[in-house]
Amino acid sequence: MKRLLITIDGPAGAGKTTVSRELADRLNYKYIDTGALYRVVAFEARAAGVSKDDDTGLENLCSALNLNFVKDERGLRLLSNNSDITDQIRAPEISMMASAVSARPVVRKYLLDLQRNMGREKGVVFEGRDMGTVVFPDADKKFYLDASQKVRAIRRYRELESKTSQTLEEVEREIRLRDENDGKREVAPMKPADDALIVDSTDLSINDVVEMMLAYILK
Ligand code: DC
């Protein structure tokens, strides 16, 4: 079968990462988590003391980024300037900062080119917020994965439980704020592409979602 470019957009906690990984595995495709790119910018901005609305600072920081993906026994690792920041970029303060810097056009413009370059080769699943709308409007198959805010908060809380001391209420608040930021920004707001299949995973298992997507892809 022809190798495709598949996009999966949607809000935090909808299950995009697990589903995209599984789908990529089953199809023997590559998987790219574009949220990690915004997280790196947020992480490096914090480390350098660049504020979330300092466009010149963010632009300089973006053009100096040196990112590499390497595989080891733990899976795919993300190196920024040769230091492994895979785990650090998952911290809650980085999630909020990533959401803030992702609203800045300078950051989006820089990452747009990077993502399109990564999509030159087909046989890939891209996960993000604007994959099907802005980055790859001509993608072969597009999905928008959603779930109720409550269920998304519970999922994210369980995922973070061993790593942070955040309460469920705090996780819920963070998800609500990020939904607002990501959905209401002027540039590339999070929304389903007109031609995306919308999947509500509130009452579905990961396997149900993956099977549904595979059926749609192979149709
Ligand atoms: O998917 P994630 O939670 O790792 O993404 C972190 C933030 O990055 C998210 O709140 C918004 C931003 N983001 C974006 O604006 N566009 C993307 N394609 C991916 C992520």
Side-chain angles (χ1 to χ4, degrees), residues 9-10 12 16-17 33-36 38-39 90 95 98-99 102-103 108 115 127-131 135 156 178 182 185 188:
D9 290 308
K16 295 190 303 294
T17 303
D33 166 15
T34 62
Y38 289 92
R39 287 173 181 271
R90 297 292 147 195
S95 304
S99 180
S102 73
R108 297 209 79 82
Q115 293 166 100
E127 170 207 332
R129 301 289 188 290
D130 62 337
M131 296 297 103
V135 182
R156 186 45 59 92
R178 280 213 284 154
D182 300 344
R185 65 177 175 232

Side-chain angles (χ1 to χ4, degrees), residues 14 144-148 155 198-204 209 212:
Y144 188 86
L145 186 59
D146 208 346
S148 75
R155 285 180 187 160
I198 299 180
V199 179
D200 183 342
S201 73
T202 308
D203 299 312
L204 297 178
V209 175
M212 186 188 283

Side-chain angles (χ1 to χ4, degrees), residues 15-178:
K16 295 190 303 294
T17 303
T18 321
V19 164
S20 307
R21 270 209 187 113
E22 180 65 26
L23 198 62
D25 259 11
R26 298 240 206 140
L27 292 165
N28 203 13
Y29 279 16
K30 268 201 302 197
Y31 153 67
I32 294 174
D33 166 15
T34 62
L37 304 174
Y38 289 92
R39 287 173 181 271
V40 172
V41 174
F43 178 86
E44 294 296 352
R46 260 176 81 99
V50 173
S51 88
K52 58 187 188 328
D53 40 22
D54 172 3
D55 284 338
T56 312
L58 288 170
E59 195 168 11
N60 292 336
L61 190 135
C62 282
S63 44
L65 278 183
N66 169 23
L67 292 181
N68 282 299
F69 290 92
V70 292
K71 242 188 185 149
D72 73 8
E73 64 288 348
R74 291 165 294 178
L76 205 58
R77 311 295 294 177
L78 183 54
L79 308 188
S80 178
N81 285 322
N82 297 322
S83 84
D84 185 333
I85 58 166
T86 317
D87 300 323
Q88 282 141 291
I89 59 169
R90 297 292 147 195
E93 61 277 16
I94 302 297
S95 304
M96 289 312 293
M97 181 76 170
S99 180
V101 296
S102 73
R104 312 304 295 185
V106 281
V107 174
R108 297 209 79 82
K109 184 177 174 301
Y110 178 81
L111 293 182
L112 182 66
D113 295 340
L114 195 74
Q115 293 166 100
R116 285 195 176 144
N117 277 333
M118 289 171 152
R120 286 233 182 98
E121 219 178 296
K122 296 270 188 141
V124 51
V125 179
F126 275 92
E127 170 207 332
R129 301 289 188 290
D130 62 337
M131 296 297 103
T133 50
V134 174
V135 182
F136 298 112
D138 298 326
D140 299 295
K141 295 282 175 180
K142 301 179 184 178
F143 298 96
Y144 188 86
L145 186 59
D146 208 346
S148 75
Q149 219 166 45
K150 186 86 201 170
V151 161
R152 289 190 285 119
I154 293 171
R155 285 180 187 160
R156 186 45 59 92
Y157 174 68
R158 290 199 183 126
E159 194 183 302
L160 290 171
E161 218 168 8
S162 56
K163 297 181 199 138
T164 78
S165 53
Q166 271 191 317
T167 63
L168 175 59
E169 287 66 35
E170 283 164 343
V171 174
E172 216 171 331
R173 185 172 160 274
E174 181 204 294
I175 289 224
R176 209 169 38 242
L177 284 174
R178 280 213 284 154

